[in-house]
Amino acid sequence: MTSPDPIIWAAVLLAGLGTYALRASFLFLFERFGEVPERVKLALEMVPAAVLSALVVPAVVAPGGAIVLSGNMQIPAALVAAAVAWYTESILATIVAGLVALMLLTAV
C-alpha cells in the first residue's frame, strides 16, 4: 500500500475547514447581530426542497447521463411518489409507493 499524497490530505483538510467556517459564520453572524431576518428564514426554509429537487430530477429524467423521456418508467413512478408525498407527508409511504410503482411499471 502506498502512502497518501500530501496534496490530497491538504485538499481534504482545507475543504473541511471551509465547510466548518461557512457553517459557523451563520452562527456567529446572527449571534452578534441578533434575530435572523424574515427573508433569510424564508430562503433557508426553501433550501431542502431545492436540494432534493436538484438531486432527484436528474436521476429520474437522465438516469444514464442523457435525458430519456420516452420509455423511461422512472418518470411515472416519480410522479406517483410525488403524489403520495403530497397527500401523506410520509417519507416511508413515499419511498414504498415509488418503488412499488416502478416495479409494476417495469414488469408490464
Side-chain angles (χ1 to χ4, degrees), residues 32-83:
R32 182 180 180 113
F33 293 113
E35 192 70 23
V36 178
E38 287 301 317
R39 292 183 72 152
V40 174
K41 283 183 185 179
L42 180 63
L44 289 174
E45 287 175 4
M46 295 179 191
V47 169
V51 170
L52 183 63
S53 298
L55 293 173
V56 170
V57 171
V60 169
V61 178
I67 296 176
V68 179
L69 298 178
S70 64
N72 184 353
M73 292 301 138
Q74 291 180 344
I75 295 173
L79 293 174
V80 168

